[in-house]
Structures are given as C-alpha cells and as structure tokens.
Amino acid sequence: MSDPLTQPILDAKIPVGQSVAAAFDWVQDTFVRAFDGLEAGLRAIIELLSNALQTPHPFIVIAGFAALTWLLQRRLGPVLIVTACALFALNQGYWVLTMQTLTLVLGSCVVCMGVGVPLGIYSAHHPRFYRALTPLLDLMQTLPTFVYLIPVLVLFGLGMVPGLVATVIFAMPAAIRLTELGIRSTPTALREAATAFGATTSQRILKVELPYAFPQIMTGLNQTIMLSLSMVVIAGLVGAPGLGVPVVRALNTVNASLGFEAGAVIVAVAIMLDRMLRVERAQ
C-alpha cells in the first residue's frame, strides 16, 4: 500500500541508473577502439612483468628480493623477513600464484604512482583543482568495487586487465592524497630560500619539495601496495590469476583450510613488500 506522503517523491525518482547506463553505452560505442588498444597495451605490460617474475628459478627471484631489500634498507632484519616470507610462499606451493599476484600489484603500483604523483604535485600547487578533485577521489574509494567492476568487465573482458583497472581505481587516491600532503607540507621558508637563490619552479619541485615529501610519497606507495593486495580476491572473481583464485575456490567449496592457507600467503606477501619498501627519511 502506497504512502500518499512519500508517493510524490517516488514518482519524481531521479534516473541515476538510467543516466549512467546511457553514458556508459555512449562511451562504449564511441571509444571501443581506444579501449581495445588500452587493453592490448595493459596485457603486454602484464605479460612482460609476469615473465620477468616467473621465468627465473624461485631461488634467483628470492635472492633478488633480498638484494633489493638490502639496497633500500641497509639492515639485515628486513632482509631476513623478506626472505622468510618468500620462502614461506614457496613452501606452501603457491609460488606461481604469488608471482601472478605480484604482477598485478606491481602493475597497479606503476600506474598509480605514475599518474598519482604528478597529480598530487599539481594539486598541491593548485588548491582549487584539488578541491574539485577531492569528491572524485572520495567516490573512487567509497563506491563498492562490484559497482564499477561491471562496466570494467564489459569493456575489458575477463582476466588480469579488469582486475588491474579495478585495483588502480581503488588504490590511486592514496598516492594522490599523500603526495599532495607531502608537497603542501614543505615549509614556506625552504621554498622562499630556493626562490631567493634563483631556483625555477621545476627546480624547486625537484630539489626541495620532492625530497621533503619523499617519506609521504613512500607512504603513499606502501598504501597503494596494501590496497592492491586487498583487491586480490576481487581480481580472482573476474578471472585474474593469482592468490585470489584459491580464496574464491575455498569460498565456493566452504574449504576453510584452503582459504586460511591462501590467506596466510597473502599476509606473507604483504609483510614482505612492506619491509622491503619501508624507507625512512634518514636514508
């Protein structure tokens, strides 16, 4: 039974779903070739990363992780933790799936940082642009993933590419926000001193603001990695290979042991990447 007080509001329903569907159909019809080219490019990058991680022997890859950790940290503790986490993934029989997940994480981080850092720098110098961008960043982080996963699936099909696109949409706001915060937090005295010594805008950004904001930018990278790992299961639902596949299989078969096993490997990967890339200002 309808309520006479609310019925006028229901009759004047705003056509949100219909408007979005119409806009999506227009985008699909107009830019279909562009999306096909984008899919081909992303797929080539993914295959390149995947081959680089899966072709060498696992011990060579683990040694590479340990060497990279030592170069970044210069401490034995993180090296041992990274090595132990990688060996744990190998011990559990999830090495190939772990490398596929790392491919997704590395690909999303390259895109997020490559786009997010310049946008963050521009936003810090143009507050009006950042105020206009903030609602979009909020939408990207709060909109349920499955909502924008539907058009992504239609545009890119099943596989790693839609998982990568969904991960980028979800994780990029962290890189933009933290880069903007770091650049904006640069003391005015440092900027004025650089300008007084004749530094141009680009020189001031490269030699003053970016070094000062480096810890925040690295925090943005760390957050991007963690958010990307949180999307592993979502990527598994859309056909992307990786550690999300056994989690989805465990969910479908109510297999607790398989789910916890794959989940433990995901946690080990998160710890490994966190210890590897935790760079302090003093370094």
Side-chain angles (χ1 to χ4, degrees):
M1 184 174 180
S2 61
D3 186 348
L5 296 178
T6 60
Q7 192 60 41
I9 298 178
L10 295 175
D11 293 338
K13 178 181 177 180
I14 301 174
V16 176
Q18 296 177 0
S19 301
V20 172
F24 175 70
D25 290 338
W26 177 81
V27 169
Q28 186 179 12
D29 295 336
T30 306
F31 301 102
V32 58
R33 293 184 178 178
F35 283 112
D36 290 342
L38 178 61
E39 180 186 5
L42 291 175
R43 195 177 300 279
I45 295 174
I46 289 171
E47 291 178 356
L48 181 64
L49 288 173
S50 180
N51 291 333
L53 289 173
Q54 295 185 46
T55 301
H57 191 276
F59 286 161
I60 297 177
V61 177
I62 294 173
F65 289 160
L68 178 60
T69 305
W70 174 258
L71 289 175
L72 294 175
Q73 304 294 336
R74 297 294 181 179
R75 290 183 292 122
L76 185 59
V79 175
L80 295 177
I81 293 175
V82 167
T83 303
C85 291
L87 288 173
F88 175 75
L90 179 62
N91 170 263
Q92 294 297 301
Y94 287 89
W95 181 256
V96 174
L97 295 179
T98 300
M99 294 302 101
Q100 292 170 345
T101 295
L102 283 177
T103 299
L104 175 64
V105 172
L106 291 176
S108 63
C109 286
V110 168
V111 176
C112 288
M113 301 306 291
V115 177
V117 171
L119 272 179
I121 295 172
Y122 186 84
S123 299
H125 291 90
H126 299 82
R128 291 184 179 179
F129 173 79
Y130 185 65
R131 285 195 296 269
L133 185 64
T134 298
L136 178 60
L137 299 179
D138 294 338
L139 180 67
M140 292 168 66
Q141 287 190 303
T142 57
L143 190 69
T145 308
F146 292 99
V147 174
Y148 57 74
L149 199 60
I150 299 172
V152 169
L153 277 173
V154 175
L155 292 173
F156 299 106
L158 293 172
M160 185 75 83
V161 174
L164 176 64
V165 173
T167 302
V168 167
I169 294 173
F170 183 68
M172 187 179 293
I176 297 175
R177 292 182 191 275
L178 287 168
T179 300
E180 190 274 339
L181 175 63
I183 298 295
R184 180 166 48 84
S185 300
T186 305
T188 304
L190 289 178
R191 296 175 178 172
E192 292 178 349
T195 303
F197 279 99
T200 62
T201 301
S202 59
Q203 289 174 334
R204 188 176 68 246
I205 292 174
L206 292 175
K207 297 184 178 182
V208 177
E209 296 178 354
L210 280 178
Y212 187 86
F214 184 70
Q216 284 81 7
I217 294 175
M218 290 303 297
T219 301
L221 175 60
N222 185 278
Q223 289 298 307
T224 300
I225 291 172
M226 297 302 110
L227 292 171
S228 300
L229 280 173
S230 70
M231 293 289 289
V232 167
V233 178
I234 302 297
L237 289 173
V238 297
L243 293 171
V245 174
V247 175
V248 174
R249 187 181 302 121
L251 181 63
N252 292 332
T253 59
V254 198
N255 190 334
S257 62
L258 178 62
F260 276 96
E261 192 176 78
V265 177
I266 294 175
V267 172
V269 172
I271 295 173
M272 180 179 70
L273 294 175
D274 177 71
R275 295 302 185 272
M276 184 186 300
L277 298 173
R278 183 179 291 180
V279 178
E280 304 293 341
R281 181 187 291 273
Q283 295 176 325

